[in-house]
PDB file of all heavy atoms in Angstrom:
ATOM      1  N   GLU A 305      18.852  -1.072  29.021  1.00  0.00           N
ATOM      2  CA  GLU A 305      17.642  -0.389  28.642  1.00  0.00           C
ATOM      3  C   GLU A 305      16.696  -1.211  27.788  1.00  0.00           C
ATOM      4  O   GLU A 305      15.502  -0.842  27.699  1.00  0.00           O
ATOM      5  CB  GLU A 305      17.993   0.882  27.850  1.00  0.00           C
ATOM      6  CG  GLU A 305      18.556   2.026  28.652  1.00  0.00           C
ATOM      7  CD  GLU A 305      18.706   3.276  27.804  1.00  0.00           C
ATOM      8  OE1 GLU A 305      19.462   3.283  26.875  1.00  0.00           O
ATOM      9  OE2 GLU A 305      18.009   4.272  28.115  1.00  0.00           O
ATOM     10  N   ILE A 306      17.150  -2.303  27.255  1.00  0.00           N
ATOM     11  CA  ILE A 306      16.416  -3.033  26.251  1.00  0.00           C
ATOM     12  C   ILE A 306      15.039  -3.564  26.755  1.00  0.00           C
ATOM     13  O   ILE A 306      14.024  -3.383  26.061  1.00  0.00           O
ATOM     14  CB  ILE A 306      17.286  -4.185  25.630  1.00  0.00           C
ATOM     15  CG1 ILE A 306      18.486  -3.651  24.952  1.00  0.00           C
ATOM     16  CG2 ILE A 306      16.404  -5.080  24.675  1.00  0.00           C
ATOM     17  CD1 ILE A 306      18.226  -2.717  23.739  1.00  0.00           C
ATOM     18  N   PRO A 307      14.928  -4.272  27.918  1.00  0.00           N
ATOM     19  CA  PRO A 307      13.645  -4.816  28.228  1.00  0.00           C
ATOM     20  C   PRO A 307      12.484  -3.821  28.291  1.00  0.00           C
ATOM     21  O   PRO A 307      11.349  -4.092  27.863  1.00  0.00           O
ATOM     22  CB  PRO A 307      13.852  -5.444  29.640  1.00  0.00           C
ATOM     23  CG  PRO A 307      15.286  -5.729  29.723  1.00  0.00           C
ATOM     24  CD  PRO A 307      15.948  -4.622  28.929  1.00  0.00           C
ATOM     25  N   ALA A 308      12.793  -2.608  28.667  1.00  0.00           N
ATOM     26  CA  ALA A 308      11.699  -1.577  28.795  1.00  0.00           C
ATOM     27  C   ALA A 308      11.351  -0.897  27.497  1.00  0.00           C
ATOM     28  O   ALA A 308      10.480  -0.013  27.433  1.00  0.00           O
ATOM     29  CB  ALA A 308      12.096  -0.563  29.821  1.00  0.00           C
ATOM     30  N   LEU A 309      12.063  -1.327  26.373  1.00  0.00           N
ATOM     31  CA  LEU A 309      11.702  -0.693  25.069  1.00  0.00           C
ATOM     32  C   LEU A 309      11.815  -1.669  23.899  1.00  0.00           C
ATOM     33  O   LEU A 309      11.879  -1.250  22.739  1.00  0.00           O
ATOM     34  CB  LEU A 309      12.557   0.576  24.794  1.00  0.00           C
ATOM     35  CG  LEU A 309      14.042   0.510  25.007  1.00  0.00           C
ATOM     36  CD1 LEU A 309      14.799  -0.350  23.992  1.00  0.00           C
ATOM     37  CD2 LEU A 309      14.663   1.906  25.044  1.00  0.00           C
ATOM     38  N   ILE A 310      11.860  -2.963  24.214  1.00  0.00           N
ATOM     39  CA  ILE A 310      12.095  -3.988  23.184  1.00  0.00           C
ATOM     40  C   ILE A 310      11.171  -3.842  21.986  1.00  0.00           C
ATOM     41  O   ILE A 310      11.616  -3.892  20.873  1.00  0.00           O
ATOM     42  CB  ILE A 310      12.076  -5.448  23.802  1.00  0.00           C
ATOM     43  CG1 ILE A 310      12.464  -6.475  22.789  1.00  0.00           C
ATOM     44  CG2 ILE A 310      10.706  -5.719  24.435  1.00  0.00           C
ATOM     45  CD1 ILE A 310      13.858  -6.626  22.545  1.00  0.00           C
ATOM     46  N   ASP A 311       9.892  -3.587  22.234  1.00  0.00           N
ATOM     47  CA  ASP A 311       8.935  -3.502  21.125  1.00  0.00           C
ATOM     48  C   ASP A 311       9.018  -2.178  20.386  1.00  0.00           C
ATOM     49  O   ASP A 311       8.432  -2.065  19.266  1.00  0.00           O
ATOM     50  CB  ASP A 311       7.490  -3.722  21.602  1.00  0.00           C
ATOM     51  CG  ASP A 311       7.326  -5.206  22.003  1.00  0.00           C
ATOM     52  OD1 ASP A 311       8.124  -6.034  21.615  1.00  0.00           O
ATOM     53  OD2 ASP A 311       6.344  -5.480  22.766  1.00  0.00           O
ATOM     54  N   GLU A 312       9.650  -1.185  20.982  1.00  0.00           N
ATOM     55  CA  GLU A 312       9.693   0.149  20.421  1.00  0.00           C
ATOM     56  C   GLU A 312      10.977   0.379  19.577  1.00  0.00           C
ATOM     57  O   GLU A 312      11.161   1.444  19.015  1.00  0.00           O
ATOM     58  CB  GLU A 312       9.555   1.220  21.442  1.00  0.00           C
ATOM     59  CG  GLU A 312       8.159   1.401  22.038  1.00  0.00           C
ATOM     60  CD  GLU A 312       7.691   0.140  22.795  1.00  0.00           C
ATOM     61  OE1 GLU A 312       8.302  -0.259  23.821  1.00  0.00           O
ATOM     62  OE2 GLU A 312       6.710  -0.454  22.332  1.00  0.00           O
ATOM     63  N   LEU A 313      11.833  -0.639  19.527  1.00  0.00           N
ATOM     64  CA  LEU A 313      13.107  -0.419  18.786  1.00  0.00           C
ATOM     65  C   LEU A 313      12.905  -0.115  17.331  1.00  0.00           C
ATOM     66  O   LEU A 313      13.608   0.757  16.773  1.00  0.00           O
ATOM     67  CB  LEU A 313      14.079  -1.575  19.038  1.00  0.00           C
ATOM     68  CG  LEU A 313      14.773  -1.525  20.418  1.00  0.00           C
ATOM     69  CD1 LEU A 313      15.470  -2.881  20.711  1.00  0.00           C
ATOM     70  CD2 LEU A 313      15.798  -0.386  20.443  1.00  0.00           C
ATOM     71  N   PRO A 314      11.971  -0.764  16.609  1.00  0.00           N
ATOM     72  CA  PRO A 314      11.781  -0.426  15.210  1.00  0.00           C
ATOM     73  C   PRO A 314      11.304   1.022  15.057  1.00  0.00           C
ATOM     74  O   PRO A 314      11.811   1.775  14.188  1.00  0.00           O
ATOM     75  CB  PRO A 314      10.657  -1.377  14.760  1.00  0.00           C
ATOM     76  CG  PRO A 314      10.800  -2.552  15.627  1.00  0.00           C
ATOM     77  CD  PRO A 314      11.223  -1.988  16.988  1.00  0.00           C
ATOM     78  N   ALA A 315      10.398   1.525  15.923  1.00  0.00           N
ATOM     79  CA  ALA A 315       9.979   2.878  15.847  1.00  0.00           C
ATOM     80  C   ALA A 315      11.140   3.857  16.209  1.00  0.00           C
ATOM     81  O   ALA A 315      11.352   4.883  15.549  1.00  0.00           O
ATOM     82  CB  ALA A 315       8.799   3.163  16.810  1.00  0.00           C
ATOM     83  N   LEU A 316      11.936   3.472  17.222  1.00  0.00           N
ATOM     84  CA  LEU A 316      13.097   4.323  17.576  1.00  0.00           C
ATOM     85  C   LEU A 316      14.100   4.404  16.428  1.00  0.00           C
ATOM     86  O   LEU A 316      14.775   5.425  16.260  1.00  0.00           O
ATOM     87  CB  LEU A 316      13.725   3.828  18.831  1.00  0.00           C
ATOM     88  CG  LEU A 316      12.997   4.150  20.172  1.00  0.00           C
ATOM     89  CD1 LEU A 316      13.642   3.408  21.360  1.00  0.00           C
ATOM     90  CD2 LEU A 316      12.994   5.654  20.420  1.00  0.00           C
ATOM     91  N   ALA A 317      14.200   3.288  15.670  1.00  0.00           N
ATOM     92  CA  ALA A 317      15.121   3.276  14.537  1.00  0.00           C
ATOM     93  C   ALA A 317      14.721   4.377  13.541  1.00  0.00           C
ATOM     94  O   ALA A 317      15.581   4.983  12.865  1.00  0.00           O
ATOM     95  CB  ALA A 317      15.131   1.920  13.865  1.00  0.00           C
ATOM     96  N   ILE A 318      13.416   4.657  13.410  1.00  0.00           N
ATOM     97  CA  ILE A 318      12.971   5.704  12.464  1.00  0.00           C
ATOM     98  C   ILE A 318      13.389   7.069  13.042  1.00  0.00           C
ATOM     99  O   ILE A 318      13.889   7.903  12.292  1.00  0.00           O
ATOM    100  CB  ILE A 318      11.439   5.593  12.272  1.00  0.00           C
ATOM    101  CG1 ILE A 318      11.039   4.205  11.800  1.00  0.00           C
ATOM    102  CG2 ILE A 318      10.964   6.683  11.276  1.00  0.00           C
ATOM    103  CD1 ILE A 318      11.728   3.676  10.594  1.00  0.00           C
ATOM    104  N   ALA A 319      13.218   7.263  14.324  1.00  0.00           N
ATOM    105  CA  ALA A 319      13.697   8.529  14.949  1.00  0.00           C
ATOM    106  C   ALA A 319      15.194   8.653  14.730  1.00  0.00           C
ATOM    107  O   ALA A 319      15.676   9.734  14.360  1.00  0.00           O
ATOM    108  CB  ALA A 319      13.376   8.494  16.468  1.00  0.00           C
ATOM    109  N   MET A 320      15.976   7.559  14.857  1.00  0.00           N
ATOM    110  CA  MET A 320      17.439   7.627  14.685  1.00  0.00           C
ATOM    111  C   MET A 320      17.785   7.937  13.222  1.00  0.00           C
ATOM    112  O   MET A 320      18.774   8.660  12.979  1.00  0.00           O
ATOM    113  CB  MET A 320      18.056   6.275  15.049  1.00  0.00           C
ATOM    114  CG  MET A 320      17.954   6.012  16.574  1.00  0.00           C
ATOM    115  SD  MET A 320      18.406   4.259  16.882  1.00  0.00           S
ATOM    116  CE  MET A 320      18.428   4.319  18.690  1.00  0.00           C
ATOM    117  N   ALA A 321      16.953   7.484  12.294  1.00  0.00           N
ATOM    118  CA  ALA A 321      17.258   7.740  10.923  1.00  0.00           C
ATOM    119  C   ALA A 321      17.149   9.246  10.571  1.00  0.00           C
ATOM    120  O   ALA A 321      17.876   9.722   9.682  1.00  0.00           O
ATOM    121  CB  ALA A 321      16.317   6.969   9.999  1.00  0.00           C
ATOM    122  N   PHE A 322      16.353   9.937  11.343  1.00  0.00           N
ATOM    123  CA  PHE A 322      16.176  11.384  11.070  1.00  0.00           C
ATOM    124  C   PHE A 322      16.968  12.271  12.077  1.00  0.00           C
ATOM    125  O   PHE A 322      16.823  13.526  12.068  1.00  0.00           O
ATOM    126  CB  PHE A 322      14.697  11.758  11.021  1.00  0.00           C
ATOM    127  CG  PHE A 322      13.962  11.098   9.899  1.00  0.00           C
ATOM    128  CD1 PHE A 322      13.006  10.152  10.125  1.00  0.00           C
ATOM    129  CD2 PHE A 322      14.283  11.458   8.626  1.00  0.00           C
ATOM    130  CE1 PHE A 322      12.346   9.529   9.074  1.00  0.00           C
ATOM    131  CE2 PHE A 322      13.613  10.872   7.525  1.00  0.00           C
ATOM    132  CZ  PHE A 322      12.646   9.922   7.771  1.00  0.00           C
ATOM    133  N   ALA A 323      17.702  11.624  12.936  1.00  0.00           N
ATOM    134  CA  ALA A 323      18.491  12.369  13.964  1.00  0.00           C
ATOM    135  C   ALA A 323      19.887  12.690  13.424  1.00  0.00           C
ATOM    136  O   ALA A 323      20.397  12.001  12.516  1.00  0.00           O
ATOM    137  CB  ALA A 323      18.617  11.525  15.246  1.00  0.00           C
ATOM    138  N   ASN A 324      20.553  13.712  13.997  1.00  0.00           N
ATOM    139  CA  ASN A 324      21.869  14.052  13.548  1.00  0.00           C
ATOM    140  C   ASN A 324      22.876  13.199  14.285  1.00  0.00           C
ATOM    141  O   ASN A 324      22.921  13.164  15.510  1.00  0.00           O
ATOM    142  CB  ASN A 324      22.180  15.510  13.917  1.00  0.00           C
ATOM    143  CG  ASN A 324      21.376  16.471  13.071  1.00  0.00           C
ATOM    144  OD1 ASN A 324      21.545  16.461  11.827  1.00  0.00           O
ATOM    145  ND2 ASN A 324      20.570  17.256  13.702  1.00  0.00           N
ATOM    146  N   GLY A 325      23.732  12.444  13.488  1.00  0.00           N
ATOM    147  CA  GLY A 325      24.786  11.712  14.115  1.00  0.00           C
ATOM    148  C   GLY A 325      24.554  10.187  14.021  1.00  0.00           C
ATOM    149  O   GLY A 325      23.586   9.702  13.455  1.00  0.00           O
ATOM    150  N   ILE A 326      25.430   9.415  14.689  1.00  0.00           N
ATOM    151  CA  ILE A 326      25.439   7.950  14.676  1.00  0.00           C
ATOM    152  C   ILE A 326      24.794   7.435  15.931  1.00  0.00           C
ATOM    153  O   ILE A 326      25.308   7.649  17.054  1.00  0.00           O
ATOM    154  CB  ILE A 326      26.845   7.401  14.482  1.00  0.00           C
ATOM    155  CG1 ILE A 326      27.509   7.994  13.236  1.00  0.00           C
ATOM    156  CG2 ILE A 326      26.809   5.849  14.460  1.00  0.00           C
ATOM    157  CD1 ILE A 326      28.969   7.526  13.034  1.00  0.00           C
ATOM    158  N   SER A 327      23.702   6.680  15.774  1.00  0.00           N
ATOM    159  CA  SER A 327      23.038   6.028  16.947  1.00  0.00           C
ATOM    160  C   SER A 327      23.422   4.555  16.922  1.00  0.00           C
ATOM    161  O   SER A 327      23.529   3.916  15.834  1.00  0.00           O
ATOM    162  CB  SER A 327      21.501   6.128  16.827  1.00  0.00           C
ATOM    163  OG  SER A 327      21.114   7.480  16.892  1.00  0.00           O
ATOM    164  N   ARG A 328      23.556   3.979  18.131  1.00  0.00           N
ATOM    165  CA  ARG A 328      23.918   2.568  18.191  1.00  0.00           C
ATOM    166  C   ARG A 328      23.001   1.875  19.222  1.00  0.00           C
ATOM    167  O   ARG A 328      22.788   2.389  20.319  1.00  0.00           O
ATOM    168  CB  ARG A 328      25.379   2.342  18.645  1.00  0.00           C
ATOM    169  CG  ARG A 328      26.367   2.809  17.624  1.00  0.00           C
ATOM    170  CD  ARG A 328      27.796   2.597  18.143  1.00  0.00           C
ATOM    171  NE  ARG A 328      28.712   3.383  17.267  1.00  0.00           N
ATOM    172  CZ  ARG A 328      28.990   4.673  17.476  1.00  0.00           C
ATOM    173  NH1 ARG A 328      28.492   5.306  18.541  1.00  0.00           N
ATOM    174  NH2 ARG A 328      29.778   5.337  16.691  1.00  0.00           N
ATOM    175  N   VAL A 329      22.475   0.636  18.832  1.00  0.00           N
ATOM    176  CA  VAL A 329      21.707  -0.178  19.773  1.00  0.00           C
ATOM    177  C   VAL A 329      22.512  -1.454  19.976  1.00  0.00           C
ATOM    178  O   VAL A 329      22.882  -2.161  19.002  1.00  0.00           O
ATOM    179  CB  VAL A 329      20.346  -0.469  19.105  1.00  0.00           C
ATOM    180  CG1 VAL A 329      19.571  -1.463  20.006  1.00  0.00           C
ATOM    181  CG2 VAL A 329      19.568   0.772  18.900  1.00  0.00           C
ATOM    182  N   ARG A 330      22.796  -1.769  21.208  1.00  0.00           N
ATOM    183  CA  ARG A 330      23.542  -3.013  21.538  1.00  0.00           C
ATOM    184  C   ARG A 330      22.744  -3.821  22.592  1.00  0.00           C
ATOM    185  O   ARG A 330      21.898  -3.277  23.257  1.00  0.00           O
ATOM    186  CB  ARG A 330      24.944  -2.729  22.171  1.00  0.00           C
ATOM    187  CG  ARG A 330      25.889  -1.892  21.303  1.00  0.00           C
ATOM    188  CD  ARG A 330      26.156  -2.363  19.969  1.00  0.00           C
ATOM    189  NE  ARG A 330      26.620  -3.675  19.659  1.00  0.00           N
ATOM    190  CZ  ARG A 330      27.783  -4.000  19.069  1.00  0.00           C
ATOM    191  NH1 ARG A 330      28.678  -3.056  18.869  1.00  0.00           N
ATOM    192  NH2 ARG A 330      28.072  -5.224  18.776  1.00  0.00           N
TER     193      ARG A 330
END
Side-chain angles (χ1 to χ4, degrees):
E305 286 188 294
I306 298 298
L309 49 69
I310 184 79
D311 290 342
E312 287 64 63
L313 282 167
L316 283 172
I318 304 306
M320 290 169 174
F322 295 112
N324 289 301
I326 303 177
S327 296
R328 292 180 196 86
V329 175
R330 302 307 306 242

